[in-house]
Amino acid sequence: YGTSVAREGRFMSFDKYVNEFVYPEGAWMLDGEKSYLSLKRNKGYCDAQHRIIRRDGKIRTILVRRIFWEGENDGNIKIYGTNQDISERIAMEKDKRRQAATIQNLAYIDSLTGLANRHSLGKYLAEDLKKVYIKEVYNKAYKGVLFFIDLDDLKMINNTYGHSYGDEIIRAVAKKISQISGKDAFVSRVSGDEFAVILK
């Protein structure tokens, strides 16, 4: 928190804590706590995770583990517990999720064109065929078509002009096929110069 017990004392009111430290967007999380405290129950436990703004302006995420206790003599409700800075852990979890999303993309997306790859096509067809079977069982019409598109002479273009030129052609073709097929089509690049399009 960037505070000092000597300067600010051992205790702080609930409202002062919320107003001075809790990140504005997270203040609503503590409203329920305040209602709970107002019931004047003798004991209560609460774990909360929220962001704070330290005295030095840094924004941190903390895990607060609290025990509420009503004083025997003065009747005031006091909050005891621990506050743990978990900002690094939160950042690591976000990074793991990003990495998992990247790995997922590598598994199902063609890196050159951004289209679905062969693996993604197989998965899509398997799921689609299940739907076809279900609809046939219930006597509902289900029609579709699978186009297989192969580019001729790409090897000659690569050998003559270089692979970067060939890659530009593949990207341009991928874009054109996607535009022509429409937003409801499933378009994939299944190999170097081969594309597949599924239209319902």
Side-chain angles (χ1 to χ4, degrees):
Y1 289 90
T3 61
S4 163
V5 171
R7 186 179 70 238
E8 302 186 53
R10 291 181 61 216
F11 298 101
M12 181 181 293
S13 73
F14 191 88
D15 288 333
K16 186 177 180 184
Y17 171 74
V18 172
N19 292 333
E20 294 193 19
F21 290 103
V22 178
Y23 196 77
E25 292 175 8
W28 64 270
M29 293 174 61
L30 301 174
D31 286 344
E33 260 182 53
K34 193 170 182 181
S35 299
Y36 181 87
L37 291 172
S38 68
L39 296 174
K40 294 263 186 186
R41 290 180 179 165
N42 289 332
K43 294 181 182 178
Y45 301 89
C46 178
D47 281 6
Q49 178 181 309
H50 59 265
R51 289 188 295 172
I52 61 165
I53 304 173
R54 285 171 45 100
R55 285 273 190 253
D56 57 12
K58 289 181 182 174
I59 297 173
R60 308 296 287 172
T61 302
I62 60 166
L63 175 64
V64 184
R65 297 206 153 146
R66 289 177 264 218
I67 300 171
F68 304 138
W69 193 271
E70 185 177 344
E72 293 176 8
N73 299 325
D74 55 15
N76 291 327
I77 296 174
K78 295 182 174 63
I79 304 171
Y80 298 93
T82 60
N83 292 3
Q84 182 183 1
D85 188 331
I86 58 169
S87 303
E88 277 73 27
R89 189 172 82 194
I90 296 292
M92 281 173 33
E93 286 170 0
K94 283 183 181 175
D95 195 42
K96 279 183 184 176
R97 285 195 293 272
R98 275 195 297 269
Q99 287 176 2
T102 301
I103 290 167
Q104 180 80 357
N105 277 345
L106 290 173
Y108 290 101
I109 302 296
D110 174 55
S111 58
L112 180 64
T113 62
L115 295 176
N117 61 15
R118 178 188 288 271
H119 186 65
S120 188
L121 173 67
K123 186 180 176 192
Y124 182 88
L125 277 172
E127 290 172 359
D128 225 31
L129 288 171
K130 282 181 191 173
K131 292 175 188 173
V132 170
Y133 175 74
I134 290 167
K135 291 197 180 230
E136 280 182 356
V137 168
Y138 291 99
N139 298 318
K140 292 181 181 176
Y142 189 93
K143 296 178 181 177
V145 63
L146 169 63
F147 291 102
F148 189 78
I149 303 165
D150 178 45
L151 303 182
D152 291 333
D153 302 322
L154 187 66
K155 186 177 179 183
M156 183 188 72
I157 290 169
N158 283 333
N159 292 338
T160 307
Y161 298 102
H163 284 276
S164 59
Y165 194 85
D167 287 349
E168 284 302 315
I169 287 176
I170 289 170
R171 275 194 283 264
V173 169
K175 186 177 179 182
K176 195 71 174 172
I177 290 172
S178 296
Q179 287 173 344
I180 291 168
S181 303
K183 61 182 175 63
D184 295 327
F186 182 88
V187 183
S188 66
R189 181 185 177 213
V190 292
S191 71
D193 60 354
E194 296 171 343
F195 297 84
V197 180
I198 300 172
L199 293 175
K200 299 286 180 67

